[in-house]
Amino acid sequence: MPHDILRIRLAQLDDARVIGALSRRVVRRWVVPDQPRKIGRALLLRLGARALRQKIIEGQRFHLAYLGNVLVGVAAMRDDSHLIHFYVGTRYQGRGIARRLWQRAMRDAIRRAGTRRFTLNATRCAVPVYLRLGFRADGAERPSPLGVLTTPMSLRVPMRRAKRA
């Protein structure tokens, strides 16, 4: 069935509203409960269409995962090395969408910039997901520069060896 095929594409400015809707739903469900109230509200405000549109204009690359016409996942990268948004809709979790979305975003950054080290700040509920994707914690949970309680994590991608003739 065509609606069961996962399609991943880069976001355009017109996608900001749907990106924000999915991101805010996931953040309300999974992230906000572990944050101080004021920080949770500020985080949700930063996921509005206007703010997301500005991030796209600034060059942050948003990869969007669709099943049929439904946006089910978002991965956004800053500077081809720092994962800033990574969400899969609650009802679509556990289907391998996060892994495929991450692999696409990672390959894109490697192709574009030769990136070999990726970083992110994981919220408490997301740490297990990132560990399964190969990331390692680089320290204890602490407030990010924006005040969100996160664990700094990183992933090193080994260089591929050239094939012998």
Side-chain angles (χ1 to χ4, degrees):
M1 297 176 144
H3 65 281
D4 290 333
I5 296 170
L6 186 70
R7 293 180 302 110
I8 300 174
R9 67 169 176 84
L10 284 173
Q12 303 295 317
L13 289 175
D14 293 344
D15 294 313
R17 180 168 285 150
V18 70
I19 294 168
L22 172 67
S23 300
R24 285 190 306 274
R25 273 195 313 273
V26 172
V27 167
R28 271 191 206 100
R29 168 69 174 88
W30 296 101
V31 178
V32 169
D34 290 331
Q35 303 298 323
R37 174 173 267 155
K38 181 179 177 183
I39 298 300
R41 282 195 304 262
L43 179 58
L44 290 169
L45 287 174
R46 289 193 301 271
L47 295 172
R50 181 178 298 154
L52 294 169
R53 210 174 285 114
Q54 185 59 39
K55 289 179 181 189
I56 294 169
I57 289 169
E58 291 169 359
Q60 294 177 14
R61 292 174 68 83
F62 285 72
H63 289 80
L64 308 180
Y66 280 88
L67 284 176
N69 294 325
V70 178
L71 178 65
V72 298
V74 174
M77 189 94 60
R78 181 180 66 222
D79 300 327
D80 286 315
S81 65
H82 187 75
L83 192 62
I84 55 170
H85 297 292
F86 193 66
Y87 307 114
V88 173
T90 302
R91 69 175 54 157
Y92 300 98
Q93 293 174 6
R95 299 184 187 188
I97 294 168
R99 181 169 300 281
R100 290 179 58 195
L101 189 55
W102 166 243
Q103 288 171 346
R104 175 70 61 87
M106 181 176 59
R107 281 193 314 265
D108 182 54
I110 291 169
R111 178 187 58 78
R112 288 169 42 84
T115 306
R116 291 292 171 209
R117 182 174 184 270
F118 294 92
T119 59
L120 58 86
N121 294 312
T123 57
R124 190 174 295 154
C125 66
V127 169
V129 174
Y130 292 123
L131 289 171
R132 284 192 299 274
L133 293 175
F135 284 84
R136 294 182 188 263
D138 291 335
E141 182 181 66
R142 63 180 183 236
S144 73
L146 298 173
V148 179
L149 295 175
T150 61
T151 299
M153 300 184 81
S154 65
L155 169 74
R156 289 197 184 279
V157 178
M159 297 288 289
R160 289 190 174 187
R161 292 183 179 181
K163 292 183 180 181
R164 292 184 179 188

PDB file of all heavy atoms in Angstrom, residues 84-109:
ATOM      1  N   ILE A  84      19.305  19.189  16.309  1.00  0.00           N
ATOM      2  CA  ILE A  84      18.579  20.109  17.183  1.00  0.00           C
ATOM      3  C   ILE A  84      17.122  19.715  17.391  1.00  0.00           C
ATOM      4  O   ILE A  84      16.545  20.047  18.414  1.00  0.00           O
ATOM      5  CB  ILE A  84      18.653  21.561  16.668  1.00  0.00           C
ATOM      6  CG1 ILE A  84      18.170  21.643  15.230  1.00  0.00           C
ATOM      7  CG2 ILE A  84      20.052  22.102  16.815  1.00  0.00           C
ATOM      8  CD1 ILE A  84      17.984  23.052  14.731  1.00  0.00           C
ATOM      9  N   HIS A  85      16.517  19.055  16.422  1.00  0.00           N
ATOM     10  CA  HIS A  85      15.133  18.575  16.558  1.00  0.00           C
ATOM     11  C   HIS A  85      15.100  17.151  16.023  1.00  0.00           C
ATOM     12  O   HIS A  85      15.607  16.883  14.936  1.00  0.00           O
ATOM     13  CB  HIS A  85      14.152  19.420  15.730  1.00  0.00           C
ATOM     14  CG  HIS A  85      14.070  20.847  16.147  1.00  0.00           C
ATOM     15  ND1 HIS A  85      13.543  21.246  17.342  1.00  0.00           N
ATOM     16  CD2 HIS A  85      14.460  21.971  15.511  1.00  0.00           C
ATOM     17  CE1 HIS A  85      13.607  22.565  17.430  1.00  0.00           C
ATOM     18  NE2 HIS A  85      14.167  23.035  16.330  1.00  0.00           N
ATOM     19  N   PHE A  86      14.467  16.278  16.790  1.00  0.00           N
ATOM     20  CA  PHE A  86      14.331  14.896  16.338  1.00  0.00           C
ATOM     21  C   PHE A  86      13.081  14.326  16.991  1.00  0.00           C
ATOM     22  O   PHE A  86      13.079  14.019  18.185  1.00  0.00           O
ATOM     23  CB  PHE A  86      15.576  14.088  16.732  1.00  0.00           C
ATOM     24  CG  PHE A  86      15.666  12.749  16.061  1.00  0.00           C
ATOM     25  CD1 PHE A  86      15.841  12.657  14.692  1.00  0.00           C
ATOM     26  CD2 PHE A  86      15.589  11.590  16.792  1.00  0.00           C
ATOM     27  CE1 PHE A  86      15.937  11.418  14.064  1.00  0.00           C
ATOM     28  CE2 PHE A  86      15.690  10.351  16.187  1.00  0.00           C
ATOM     29  CZ  PHE A  86      15.860  10.267  14.812  1.00  0.00           C
ATOM     30  N   TYR A  87      12.019  14.237  16.203  1.00  0.00           N
ATOM     31  CA  TYR A  87      10.731  13.813  16.739  1.00  0.00           C
ATOM     32  C   TYR A  87      10.072  12.802  15.809  1.00  0.00           C
ATOM     33  O   TYR A  87      10.098  12.971  14.594  1.00  0.00           O
ATOM     34  CB  TYR A  87       9.773  15.004  16.875  1.00  0.00           C
ATOM     35  CG  TYR A  87      10.341  16.167  17.644  1.00  0.00           C
ATOM     36  CD1 TYR A  87      10.579  17.384  17.018  1.00  0.00           C
ATOM     37  CD2 TYR A  87      10.650  16.041  18.994  1.00  0.00           C
ATOM     38  CE1 TYR A  87      11.096  18.456  17.727  1.00  0.00           C
ATOM     39  CE2 TYR A  87      11.171  17.113  19.703  1.00  0.00           C
ATOM     40  CZ  TYR A  87      11.390  18.320  19.069  1.00  0.00           C
ATOM     41  OH  TYR A  87      11.912  19.373  19.770  1.00  0.00           O
ATOM     42  N   VAL A  88       9.469  11.788  16.416  1.00  0.00           N
ATOM     43  CA  VAL A  88       8.610  10.863  15.694  1.00  0.00           C
ATOM     44  C   VAL A  88       7.290  10.856  16.444  1.00  0.00           C
ATOM     45  O   VAL A  88       7.263  10.736  17.681  1.00  0.00           O
ATOM     46  CB  VAL A  88       9.203   9.439  15.624  1.00  0.00           C
ATOM     47  CG1 VAL A  88       8.207   8.458  15.018  1.00  0.00           C
ATOM     48  CG2 VAL A  88      10.494   9.454  14.802  1.00  0.00           C
ATOM     49  N   GLY A  89       6.194  11.016  15.703  1.00  0.00           N
ATOM     50  CA  GLY A  89       4.882  11.026  16.318  1.00  0.00           C
ATOM     51  C   GLY A  89       4.666   9.807  17.203  1.00  0.00           C
ATOM     52  O   GLY A  89       5.086   8.699  16.866  1.00  0.00           O
ATOM     53  N   THR A  90       4.018  10.005  18.333  1.00  0.00           N
ATOM     54  CA  THR A  90       3.848   8.954  19.332  1.00  0.00           C
ATOM     55  C   THR A  90       3.265   7.676  18.738  1.00  0.00           C
ATOM     56  O   THR A  90       3.766   6.585  18.984  1.00  0.00           O
ATOM     57  CB  THR A  90       2.965   9.470  20.486  1.00  0.00           C
ATOM     58  OG1 THR A  90       3.592  10.627  21.049  1.00  0.00           O
ATOM     59  CG2 THR A  90       2.795   8.419  21.554  1.00  0.00           C
ATOM     60  N   ARG A  91       2.241   7.788  17.922  1.00  0.00           N
ATOM     61  CA  ARG A  91       1.613   6.572  17.382  1.00  0.00           C
ATOM     62  C   ARG A  91       2.464   5.863  16.335  1.00  0.00           C
ATOM     63  O   ARG A  91       2.164   4.750  15.943  1.00  0.00           O
ATOM     64  CB  ARG A  91       0.227   6.874  16.819  1.00  0.00           C
ATOM     65  CG  ARG A  91       0.235   7.703  15.572  1.00  0.00           C
ATOM     66  CD  ARG A  91      -1.141   7.865  14.982  1.00  0.00           C
ATOM     67  NE  ARG A  91      -2.041   8.386  15.974  1.00  0.00           N
ATOM     68  CZ  ARG A  91      -3.150   9.041  15.728  1.00  0.00           C
ATOM     69  NH1 ARG A  91      -3.514   9.252  14.501  1.00  0.00           N
ATOM     70  NH2 ARG A  91      -3.913   9.486  16.688  1.00  0.00           N
ATOM     71  N   TYR A  92       3.547   6.508  15.891  1.00  0.00           N
ATOM     72  CA  TYR A  92       4.424   5.908  14.876  1.00  0.00           C
ATOM     73  C   TYR A  92       5.753   5.427  15.455  1.00  0.00           C
ATOM     74  O   TYR A  92       6.606   4.933  14.722  1.00  0.00           O
ATOM     75  CB  TYR A  92       4.666   6.904  13.745  1.00  0.00           C
ATOM     76  CG  TYR A  92       3.384   7.308  13.076  1.00  0.00           C
ATOM     77  CD1 TYR A  92       2.747   8.498  13.421  1.00  0.00           C
ATOM     78  CD2 TYR A  92       2.778   6.473  12.148  1.00  0.00           C
ATOM     79  CE1 TYR A  92       1.544   8.846  12.826  1.00  0.00           C
ATOM     80  CE2 TYR A  92       1.578   6.820  11.560  1.00  0.00           C
ATOM     81  CZ  TYR A  92       0.963   8.010  11.903  1.00  0.00           C
ATOM     82  OH  TYR A  92      -0.219   8.344  11.323  1.00  0.00           O
ATOM     83  N   GLN A  93       5.928   5.571  16.748  1.00  0.00           N
ATOM     84  CA  GLN A  93       7.172   5.133  17.382  1.00  0.00           C
ATOM     85  C   GLN A  93       7.238   3.611  17.408  1.00  0.00           C
ATOM     86  O   GLN A  93       6.222   2.934  17.411  1.00  0.00           O
ATOM     87  CB  GLN A  93       7.275   5.725  18.789  1.00  0.00           C
ATOM     88  CG  GLN A  93       7.435   7.240  18.744  1.00  0.00           C
ATOM     89  CD  GLN A  93       7.397   7.900  20.107  1.00  0.00           C
ATOM     90  OE1 GLN A  93       7.360   7.252  21.138  1.00  0.00           O
ATOM     91  NE2 GLN A  93       7.405   9.222  20.105  1.00  0.00           N
ATOM     92  N   GLY A  94       8.454   3.090  17.416  1.00  0.00           N
ATOM     93  CA  GLY A  94       8.650   1.646  17.465  1.00  0.00           C
ATOM     94  C   GLY A  94       8.565   0.955  16.115  1.00  0.00           C
ATOM     95  O   GLY A  94       8.511  -0.266  16.044  1.00  0.00           O
ATOM     96  N   ARG A  95       8.583   1.713  15.025  1.00  0.00           N
ATOM     97  CA  ARG A  95       8.491   1.150  13.674  1.00  0.00           C
ATOM     98  C   ARG A  95       9.772   1.315  12.870  1.00  0.00           C
ATOM     99  O   ARG A  95       9.785   1.067  11.670  1.00  0.00           O
ATOM    100  CB  ARG A  95       7.357   1.824  12.902  1.00  0.00           C
ATOM    101  CG  ARG A  95       5.992   1.644  13.515  1.00  0.00           C
ATOM    102  CD  ARG A  95       4.954   2.270  12.620  1.00  0.00           C
ATOM    103  NE  ARG A  95       3.643   2.284  13.235  1.00  0.00           N
ATOM    104  CZ  ARG A  95       2.543   2.638  12.600  1.00  0.00           C
ATOM    105  NH1 ARG A  95       2.604   2.996  11.325  1.00  0.00           N
ATOM    106  NH2 ARG A  95       1.392   2.645  13.218  1.00  0.00           N
ATOM    107  N   GLY A  96      10.832   1.794  13.501  1.00  0.00           N
ATOM    108  CA  GLY A  96      12.098   1.992  12.793  1.00  0.00           C
ATOM    109  C   GLY A  96      12.189   3.323  12.055  1.00  0.00           C
ATOM    110  O   GLY A  96      13.158   3.573  11.348  1.00  0.00           O
ATOM    111  N   ILE A  97      11.195   4.165  12.223  1.00  0.00           N
ATOM    112  CA  ILE A  97      11.187   5.462  11.529  1.00  0.00           C
ATOM    113  C   ILE A  97      12.325   6.344  12.027  1.00  0.00           C
ATOM    114  O   ILE A  97      13.024   6.983  11.235  1.00  0.00           O
ATOM    115  CB  ILE A  97       9.822   6.155  11.689  1.00  0.00           C
ATOM    116  CG1 ILE A  97       8.752   5.341  10.949  1.00  0.00           C
ATOM    117  CG2 ILE A  97       9.869   7.602  11.199  1.00  0.00           C
ATOM    118  CD1 ILE A  97       7.323   5.753  11.249  1.00  0.00           C
ATOM    119  N   ALA A  98      12.548   6.370  13.330  1.00  0.00           N
ATOM    120  CA  ALA A  98      13.620   7.209  13.883  1.00  0.00           C
ATOM    121  C   ALA A  98      14.973   6.798  13.307  1.00  0.00           C
ATOM    122  O   ALA A  98      15.769   7.650  12.913  1.00  0.00           O
ATOM    123  CB  ALA A  98      13.632   7.112  15.411  1.00  0.00           C
ATOM    124  N   ARG A  99      15.230   5.517  13.248  1.00  0.00           N
ATOM    125  CA  ARG A  99      16.511   5.038  12.721  1.00  0.00           C
ATOM    126  C   ARG A  99      16.686   5.457  11.255  1.00  0.00           C
ATOM    127  O   ARG A  99      17.732   5.957  10.858  1.00  0.00           O
ATOM    128  CB  ARG A  99      16.623   3.522  12.848  1.00  0.00           C
ATOM    129  CG  ARG A  99      17.957   2.984  12.325  1.00  0.00           C
ATOM    130  CD  ARG A  99      18.172   1.534  12.687  1.00  0.00           C
ATOM    131  NE  ARG A  99      18.167   1.309  14.116  1.00  0.00           N
ATOM    132  CZ  ARG A  99      19.192   1.565  14.938  1.00  0.00           C
ATOM    133  NH1 ARG A  99      20.310   2.048  14.445  1.00  0.00           N
ATOM    134  NH2 ARG A  99      19.109   1.327  16.222  1.00  0.00           N
ATOM    135  N   ARG A 100      15.663   5.268  10.452  1.00  0.00           N
ATOM    136  CA  ARG A 100      15.769   5.631   9.028  1.00  0.00           C
ATOM    137  C   ARG A 100      15.915   7.138   8.849  1.00  0.00           C
ATOM    138  O   ARG A 100      16.687   7.600   8.001  1.00  0.00           O
ATOM    139  CB  ARG A 100      14.564   5.097   8.263  1.00  0.00           C
ATOM    140  CG  ARG A 100      14.635   3.557   8.167  1.00  0.00           C
ATOM    141  CD  ARG A 100      13.484   2.949   7.452  1.00  0.00           C
ATOM    142  NE  ARG A 100      13.346   3.454   6.105  1.00  0.00           N
ATOM    143  CZ  ARG A 100      12.243   3.290   5.379  1.00  0.00           C
ATOM    144  NH1 ARG A 100      11.219   2.617   5.867  1.00  0.00           N
ATOM    145  NH2 ARG A 100      12.168   3.776   4.159  1.00  0.00           N
ATOM    146  N   LEU A 101      15.197   7.894   9.647  1.00  0.00           N
ATOM    147  CA  LEU A 101      15.274   9.354   9.571  1.00  0.00           C
ATOM    148  C   LEU A 101      16.671   9.830   9.989  1.00  0.00           C
ATOM    149  O   LEU A 101      17.274  10.672   9.321  1.00  0.00           O
ATOM    150  CB  LEU A 101      14.190   9.953  10.467  1.00  0.00           C
ATOM    151  CG  LEU A 101      13.929  11.433  10.393  1.00  0.00           C
ATOM    152  CD1 LEU A 101      13.619  11.894   8.976  1.00  0.00           C
ATOM    153  CD2 LEU A 101      12.762  11.787  11.335  1.00  0.00           C
ATOM    154  N   TRP A 102      17.197   9.261  11.066  1.00  0.00           N
ATOM    155  CA  TRP A 102      18.541   9.627  11.503  1.00  0.00           C
ATOM    156  C   TRP A 102      19.576   9.252  10.445  1.00  0.00           C
ATOM    157  O   TRP A 102      20.479  10.038  10.134  1.00  0.00           O
ATOM    158  CB  TRP A 102      18.889   8.985  12.845  1.00  0.00           C
ATOM    159  CG  TRP A 102      20.351   9.067  13.126  1.00  0.00           C
ATOM    160  CD1 TRP A 102      21.217   8.042  13.272  1.00  0.00           C
ATOM    161  CD2 TRP A 102      21.147  10.262  13.229  1.00  0.00           C
ATOM    162  NE1 TRP A 102      22.491   8.503  13.462  1.00  0.00           N
ATOM    163  CE2 TRP A 102      22.480   9.874  13.445  1.00  0.00           C
ATOM    164  CE3 TRP A 102      20.858  11.618  13.152  1.00  0.00           C
ATOM    165  CZ2 TRP A 102      23.520  10.790  13.580  1.00  0.00           C
ATOM    166  CZ3 TRP A 102      21.896  12.536  13.281  1.00  0.00           C
ATOM    167  CH2 TRP A 102      23.199  12.122  13.500  1.00  0.00           C
ATOM    168  N   GLN A 103      19.476   8.068   9.890  1.00  0.00           N
ATOM    169  CA  GLN A 103      20.446   7.651   8.877  1.00  0.00           C
ATOM    170  C   GLN A 103      20.436   8.591   7.680  1.00  0.00           C
ATOM    171  O   GLN A 103      21.494   8.928   7.136  1.00  0.00           O
ATOM    172  CB  GLN A 103      20.187   6.208   8.457  1.00  0.00           C
ATOM    173  CG  GLN A 103      20.574   5.213   9.525  1.00  0.00           C
ATOM    174  CD  GLN A 103      20.130   3.796   9.233  1.00  0.00           C
ATOM    175  OE1 GLN A 103      19.309   3.550   8.352  1.00  0.00           O
ATOM    176  NE2 GLN A 103      20.656   2.851   9.991  1.00  0.00           N
ATOM    177  N   ARG A 104      19.258   9.042   7.272  1.00  0.00           N
ATOM    178  CA  ARG A 104      19.180   9.984   6.145  1.00  0.00           C
ATOM    179  C   ARG A 104      19.827  11.313   6.502  1.00  0.00           C
ATOM    180  O   ARG A 104      20.612  11.862   5.730  1.00  0.00           O
ATOM    181  CB  ARG A 104      17.713  10.191   5.749  1.00  0.00           C
ATOM    182  CG  ARG A 104      17.508  11.243   4.672  1.00  0.00           C
ATOM    183  CD  ARG A 104      18.026  10.823   3.287  1.00  0.00           C
ATOM    184  NE  ARG A 104      17.348   9.656   2.795  1.00  0.00           N
ATOM    185  CZ  ARG A 104      16.215   9.659   2.114  1.00  0.00           C
ATOM    186  NH1 ARG A 104      15.620  10.789   1.811  1.00  0.00           N
ATOM    187  NH2 ARG A 104      15.680   8.528   1.709  1.00  0.00           N
ATOM    188  N   ALA A 105      19.515  11.851   7.674  1.00  0.00           N
ATOM    189  CA  ALA A 105      20.093  13.135   8.086  1.00  0.00           C
ATOM    190  C   ALA A 105      21.607  13.024   8.237  1.00  0.00           C
ATOM    191  O   ALA A 105      22.356  13.920   7.820  1.00  0.00           O
ATOM    192  CB  ALA A 105      19.452  13.602   9.391  1.00  0.00           C
ATOM    193  N   MET A 106      22.074  11.914   8.810  1.00  0.00           N
ATOM    194  CA  MET A 106      23.500  11.705   8.999  1.00  0.00           C
ATOM    195  C   MET A 106      24.218  11.596   7.650  1.00  0.00           C
ATOM    196  O   MET A 106      25.252  12.243   7.431  1.00  0.00           O
ATOM    197  CB  MET A 106      23.740  10.438   9.830  1.00  0.00           C
ATOM    198  CG  MET A 106      25.198  10.147  10.090  1.00  0.00           C
ATOM    199  SD  MET A 106      25.490   8.716  11.159  1.00  0.00           S
ATOM    200  CE  MET A 106      24.708   7.419  10.236  1.00  0.00           C
ATOM    201  N   ARG A 107      23.681  10.783   6.743  1.00  0.00           N
ATOM    202  CA  ARG A 107      24.305  10.644   5.415  1.00  0.00           C
ATOM    203  C   ARG A 107      24.364  11.986   4.692  1.00  0.00           C
ATOM    204  O   ARG A 107      25.344  12.298   4.014  1.00  0.00           O
ATOM    205  CB  ARG A 107      23.541   9.628   4.564  1.00  0.00           C
ATOM    206  CG  ARG A 107      23.864   8.191   4.889  1.00  0.00           C
ATOM    207  CD  ARG A 107      23.342   7.229   3.835  1.00  0.00           C
ATOM    208  NE  ARG A 107      21.972   7.476   3.428  1.00  0.00           N
ATOM    209  CZ  ARG A 107      20.900   6.859   3.933  1.00  0.00           C
ATOM    210  NH1 ARG A 107      21.043   5.945   4.863  1.00  0.00           N
ATOM    211  NH2 ARG A 107      19.693   7.145   3.495  1.00  0.00           N
ATOM    212  N   ASP A 108      23.319  12.779   4.828  1.00  0.00           N
ATOM    213  CA  ASP A 108      23.277  14.089   4.191  1.00  0.00           C
ATOM    214  C   ASP A 108      24.408  14.975   4.731  1.00  0.00           C
ATOM    215  O   ASP A 108      25.112  15.621   3.959  1.00  0.00           O
ATOM    216  CB  ASP A 108      21.910  14.737   4.444  1.00  0.00           C
ATOM    217  CG  ASP A 108      21.761  16.084   3.769  1.00  0.00           C
ATOM    218  OD1 ASP A 108      21.975  16.177   2.549  1.00  0.00           O
ATOM    219  OD2 ASP A 108      21.414  17.059   4.478  1.00  0.00           O
ATOM    220  N   ALA A 109      24.601  14.977   6.043  1.00  0.00           N
ATOM    221  CA  ALA A 109      25.657  15.804   6.641  1.00  0.00           C
ATOM    222  C   ALA A 109      27.048  15.299   6.257  1.00  0.00           C
ATOM    223  O   ALA A 109      27.956  16.098   5.997  1.00  0.00           O
ATOM    224  CB  ALA A 109      25.501  15.823   8.157  1.00  0.00           C
TER     225      ALA A 109
END
